[in-house]
Amino acid sequence: MSLTTVICVLWAVSVGQTAGSQHGTNIIIMLMDDMGWGDLGVFGEPSKETPNLDLMAAQGMLFPNFYTANPLCSPSRAALLTGRLPVRNGFYTTNAHARNAYTPQEIVGGISPDEILLPELLKKKDYVSKIIGKWHLGHRTQYLPLKHGFDEWFGSPNCHFGPYNNSVCPNIPVYNNSEMKGRYYEEFEINVKTGESNLTQIYLKEGLDFISQQAVAQRPFFLYWAPDATHAPVYASKRFLGKSQRGRYGDAMMELDDSIGQILAHLVSLGIHNKTLVFFTSDNGAAVMSGPLQSGSNGPFLCGKETTFEGGMREPAIAWWPGRIPAGTVSYQLGSVMDLFTTSLSVAGVLPPDDRVIDGLDLSPVLFNNSLLDRPIFYYRGNQLMAVRIGQYKAHYWTWSNSWEEFNKGINFCPGQEVPGVTTHTQEEHTMQPLIFHLGQDPGERYPIRKMFCQLKNRVESKEYRDVLRRVTAVVEQHQKDLIPGMPQLNMCDLAVMNWSPPGCEQLGKCLKAPESNPWKCDWPH
């Protein structure tokens, strides 16, 4: 019997049981890495190689209009765990205008101690919290997960880039709680040539074991499951290599889909599915600049990761809670990863902090009643508000794909999708007359609503353009009036802060000598 069949049968038997009360609800957030909107069969991917995710959507709620808070991994993860835009929580740079920044090994900063993360708040209701996979909110000791509310961790602080020469750049450590247990490409092997790695299987086992332990202890838990197999260099275990019609990226997708199926089936077998909210999404759009071998699909949307076009920020999203979320529903709510912060607190019975602006909405009315909440979506790139969406309309105040310098080196954030005057290679300002698109009619952002037409030899704005501009302008002016930017955490770099001697390196003989400290302002070309 397939895993899909197991989930279907067990779920059908038990869906009629009384759902768990909101108090003590378990929470699982599954955050994929660089997975695109178009990678799921339920969103139309032709090979249909995600049966478990497709079934999850059939048993839960699908969100076609769900967004990240930034088109790059570190800021979007910071936004998820704080419920706040990166420009508020400090996960941005001011070194150059409208630049994407993240936390590579040489970054000095990390999540600010002034920010309150989701697991810290869940402690008020005695939740046990674990992160499995990629953290990416800073790798120096003071920034690691156990310093910010998580009780357990198995995974890495950085991307699995490498292998590196340890005399110049150390390989990335893998932690078990507060101490490293080895490094990528060493104790935790990733074969770049073949794409083989057992990391997803390790992350799966860690997740299943954690769920079992908390079920036995009858304690509410928060599991943040953040595997990174779909981030280049993509990888999969031997059982999945060569199985996909989509190449190595598809192999990684199939293994993640299988793992998600096993986690959902495990919840059912333990009898805790009806008191567990599971939410699946991705940190940003598919990295189409790495395609086609190392990249997923953003479906009908323009461009991908690093951009504030739809392909960079619209994400696949599914909510699953048998007995609470009506099965087979589709919500057209404009959602955000920041909403996972507020919604998780709501189902746990915890109030959000009242001493700061929280950008995330409580999606409970959406999940349980399929209501619609009025809200804008703000598209930021670094310190710059690039665009805003209201209803079906999106207004671009700035456009930029990537620089001519990068583009001429073969780095293309919009391969095969260049739209004249839209996917610009210089930062183009449109604040006086933003480019406006109707995303229902034009999801690929190819045809701006005409700003002008001729009437009696005079050029006047169309009524549709005027009406949308008036609505958007009011929202943007209020947002900017209330905005107090956080202290930027991603400005300074220093080779001395790299992963030379992480905690636990002594026991493994894995400590490396760091160079002299010589900080500089990070250069962010994208």
Side-chain angles (χ1 to χ4, degrees), residues 498-518:
M498 298 172 81
N499 290 289
W500 301 104
S501 297
C505 67
E506 299 88 352
Q507 293 91 317
L508 300 174
K510 287 285 179 178
C511 300
L512 302 169
K513 185 178 180 181
E516 292 283 332
S517 177
N518 184 24

mmCIF file of all heavy atoms in Angstrom, residues 498-518:
data_model
loop_
_atom_site.group_PDB
_atom_site.id
_atom_site.type_symbol
_atom_site.label_atom_id
_atom_site.label_comp_id
_atom_site.label_asym_id
_atom_site.label_seq_id
_atom_site.Cartn_x
_atom_site.Cartn_y
_atom_site.Cartn_z
ATOM 1 N N MET A 498 33.720 33.568 10.139
ATOM 2 C CA MET A 498 33.222 32.387 9.439
ATOM 3 C C MET A 498 33.231 31.167 10.372
ATOM 4 O O MET A 498 33.692 31.239 11.508
ATOM 5 C CB MET A 498 34.051 32.142 8.186
ATOM 6 C CG MET A 498 33.967 33.288 7.187
ATOM 7 S SD MET A 498 35.109 33.139 5.799
ATOM 8 C CE MET A 498 34.218 32.026 4.749
ATOM 9 N N ASN A 499 32.708 30.050 9.895
ATOM 10 C CA ASN A 499 32.541 28.848 10.719
ATOM 11 C C ASN A 499 33.869 28.116 10.955
ATOM 12 O O ASN A 499 33.998 26.922 10.679
ATOM 13 C CB ASN A 499 31.540 27.896 10.060
ATOM 14 C CG ASN A 499 30.133 28.423 10.097
ATOM 15 O OD1 ASN A 499 29.500 28.487 11.140
ATOM 16 N ND2 ASN A 499 29.623 28.815 8.927
ATOM 17 N N TRP A 500 34.841 28.827 11.513
ATOM 18 C CA TRP A 500 36.146 28.213 11.757
ATOM 19 C C TRP A 500 36.104 27.261 12.944
ATOM 20 O O TRP A 500 36.565 26.119 12.852
ATOM 21 C CB TRP A 500 37.198 29.306 12.010
ATOM 22 C CG TRP A 500 37.369 30.270 10.881
ATOM 23 C CD1 TRP A 500 36.902 31.548 10.820
ATOM 24 C CD2 TRP A 500 38.013 30.025 9.625
ATOM 25 N NE1 TRP A 500 37.215 32.132 9.623
ATOM 26 C CE2 TRP A 500 37.907 31.213 8.863
ATOM 27 C CE3 TRP A 500 38.668 28.929 9.068
ATOM 28 C CZ2 TRP A 500 38.427 31.330 7.583
ATOM 29 C CZ3 TRP A 500 39.195 29.033 7.797
ATOM 30 C CH2 TRP A 500 39.074 30.233 7.067
ATOM 31 N N SER A 501 35.544 27.702 14.045
ATOM 32 C CA SER A 501 35.555 26.891 15.274
ATOM 33 C C SER A 501 34.192 26.949 15.963
ATOM 34 O O SER A 501 34.048 27.544 17.039
ATOM 35 C CB SER A 501 36.649 27.391 16.217
ATOM 36 O OG SER A 501 37.924 27.242 15.634
ATOM 37 N N PRO A 502 33.177 26.314 15.374
ATOM 38 C CA PRO A 502 31.856 26.330 15.998
ATOM 39 C C PRO A 502 31.855 25.549 17.313
ATOM 40 O O PRO A 502 32.733 24.719 17.548
ATOM 41 C CB PRO A 502 30.964 25.629 14.950
ATOM 42 C CG PRO A 502 31.764 25.628 13.683
ATOM 43 C CD PRO A 502 33.193 25.599 14.101
ATOM 44 N N PRO A 503 30.891 25.796 18.186
ATOM 45 C CA PRO A 503 30.799 25.028 19.425
ATOM 46 C C PRO A 503 30.770 23.523 19.142
ATOM 47 O O PRO A 503 30.048 23.072 18.249
ATOM 48 C CB PRO A 503 29.468 25.496 20.026
ATOM 49 C CG PRO A 503 29.263 26.862 19.464
ATOM 50 C CD PRO A 503 29.843 26.824 18.085
ATOM 51 N N GLY A 504 31.575 22.775 19.887
ATOM 52 C CA GLY A 504 31.660 21.327 19.694
ATOM 53 C C GLY A 504 32.773 20.878 18.788
ATOM 54 O O GLY A 504 33.022 19.675 18.648
ATOM 55 N N CYS A 505 33.485 21.831 18.174
ATOM 56 C CA CYS A 505 34.539 21.437 17.231
ATOM 57 C C CYS A 505 35.695 20.736 17.932
ATOM 58 O O CYS A 505 36.388 19.912 17.329
ATOM 59 C CB CYS A 505 35.033 22.647 16.434
ATOM 60 S SG CYS A 505 35.912 23.905 17.406
ATOM 61 N N GLU A 506 35.904 21.065 19.220
ATOM 62 C CA GLU A 506 37.042 20.464 19.943
ATOM 63 C C GLU A 506 36.902 18.956 20.035
ATOM 64 O O GLU A 506 37.868 18.210 19.795
ATOM 65 C CB GLU A 506 37.141 21.058 21.360
ATOM 66 C CG GLU A 506 37.374 22.563 21.399
ATOM 67 C CD GLU A 506 36.074 23.353 21.381
ATOM 68 O OE1 GLU A 506 34.982 22.747 21.176
ATOM 69 O OE2 GLU A 506 36.133 24.595 21.555
ATOM 70 N N GLN A 507 35.697 18.485 20.388
ATOM 71 C CA GLN A 507 35.492 17.049 20.546
ATOM 72 C C GLN A 507 35.700 16.289 19.238
ATOM 73 O O GLN A 507 36.063 15.111 19.245
ATOM 74 C CB GLN A 507 34.083 16.765 21.077
ATOM 75 C CG GLN A 507 33.839 17.257 22.508
ATOM 76 C CD GLN A 507 33.286 18.666 22.541
ATOM 77 O OE1 GLN A 507 33.764 19.531 21.803
ATOM 78 N NE2 GLN A 507 32.290 18.901 23.394
ATOM 79 N N LEU A 508 35.455 16.957 18.128
ATOM 80 C CA LEU A 508 35.575 16.302 16.822
ATOM 81 C C LEU A 508 36.925 16.529 16.166
ATOM 82 O O LEU A 508 37.209 15.946 15.118
ATOM 83 C CB LEU A 508 34.478 16.825 15.883
ATOM 84 C CG LEU A 508 33.028 16.615 16.316
ATOM 85 C CD1 LEU A 508 32.087 17.315 15.352
ATOM 86 C CD2 LEU A 508 32.703 15.131 16.387
ATOM 87 N N GLY A 509 37.757 17.375 16.781
ATOM 88 C CA GLY A 509 39.008 17.746 16.118
ATOM 89 C C GLY A 509 38.776 18.529 14.850
ATOM 90 O O GLY A 509 39.534 18.399 13.884
ATOM 91 N N LYS A 510 37.716 19.353 14.850
ATOM 92 C CA LYS A 510 37.318 20.069 13.642
ATOM 93 C C LYS A 510 37.498 21.584 13.768
ATOM 94 O O LYS A 510 36.949 22.337 12.971
ATOM 95 C CB LYS A 510 35.841 19.767 13.330
ATOM 96 C CG LYS A 510 35.597 18.361 12.795
ATOM 97 C CD LYS A 510 36.039 18.258 11.356
ATOM 98 C CE LYS A 510 35.831 16.873 10.791
ATOM 99 N NZ LYS A 510 36.235 16.808 9.367
ATOM 100 N N CYS A 511 38.242 22.032 14.772
ATOM 101 C CA CYS A 511 38.464 23.472 14.927
ATOM 102 C C CYS A 511 39.518 23.939 13.929
ATOM 103 O O CYS A 511 40.533 23.272 13.712
ATOM 104 C CB CYS A 511 38.920 23.783 16.349
ATOM 105 S SG CYS A 511 37.744 23.296 17.629
ATOM 106 N N LEU A 512 39.275 25.082 13.346
ATOM 107 C CA LEU A 512 40.191 25.667 12.375
ATOM 108 C C LEU A 512 40.620 27.046 12.850
ATOM 109 O O LEU A 512 39.893 27.717 13.590
ATOM 110 C CB LEU A 512 39.513 25.777 11.000
ATOM 111 C CG LEU A 512 38.995 24.451 10.407
ATOM 112 C CD1 LEU A 512 38.109 24.728 9.204
ATOM 113 C CD2 LEU A 512 40.158 23.540 10.026
ATOM 114 N N LYS A 513 41.792 27.469 12.428
ATOM 115 C CA LYS A 513 42.318 28.768 12.846
ATOM 116 C C LYS A 513 41.723 29.878 11.996
ATOM 117 O O LYS A 513 41.774 29.846 10.767
ATOM 118 C CB LYS A 513 43.839 28.787 12.741
ATOM 119 C CG LYS A 513 44.459 30.076 13.273
ATOM 120 C CD LYS A 513 45.982 30.056 13.201
ATOM 121 C CE LYS A 513 46.567 31.361 13.730
ATOM 122 N NZ LYS A 513 48.052 31.370 13.658
ATOM 123 N N ALA A 514 41.174 30.858 12.676
ATOM 124 C CA ALA A 514 40.563 31.988 11.977
ATOM 125 C C ALA A 514 41.611 33.016 11.583
ATOM 126 O O ALA A 514 42.623 33.183 12.276
ATOM 127 C CB ALA A 514 39.516 32.639 12.868
ATOM 128 N N PRO A 515 41.400 33.752 10.496
ATOM 129 C CA PRO A 515 42.307 34.842 10.133
ATOM 130 C C PRO A 515 42.100 36.044 11.040
ATOM 131 O O PRO A 515 41.167 36.080 11.852
ATOM 132 C CB PRO A 515 41.908 35.155 8.697
ATOM 133 C CG PRO A 515 40.468 34.779 8.628
ATOM 134 C CD PRO A 515 40.309 33.587 9.532
ATOM 135 N N GLU A 516 42.953 37.026 10.907
ATOM 136 C CA GLU A 516 42.793 38.274 11.656
ATOM 137 C C GLU A 516 41.490 38.958 11.254
ATOM 138 O O GLU A 516 41.073 38.917 10.098
ATOM 139 C CB GLU A 516 43.969 39.212 11.362
ATOM 140 C CG GLU A 516 45.303 38.737 11.896
ATOM 141 C CD GLU A 516 45.443 38.964 13.395
ATOM 142 O OE1 GLU A 516 44.803 39.909 13.904
ATOM 143 O OE2 GLU A 516 46.168 38.183 14.040
ATOM 144 N N SER A 517 40.866 39.601 12.233
ATOM 145 C CA SER A 517 39.632 40.326 11.949
ATOM 146 C C SER A 517 39.928 41.551 11.093
ATOM 147 O O SER A 517 40.846 42.335 11.386
ATOM 148 C CB SER A 517 38.973 40.758 13.259
ATOM 149 O OG SER A 517 37.814 41.523 13.003
ATOM 150 N N ASN A 518 39.150 41.689 10.017
ATOM 151 C CA ASN A 518 39.315 42.834 9.119
ATOM 152 C C ASN A 518 37.961 43.140 8.489
ATOM 153 O O ASN A 518 37.702 42.834 7.326
ATOM 154 C CB ASN A 518 40.354 42.520 8.039
ATOM 155 C CG ASN A 518 40.619 43.730 7.156
ATOM 156 O OD1 ASN A 518 40.412 44.870 7.561
ATOM 157 N ND2 ASN A 518 41.070 43.481 5.943
#
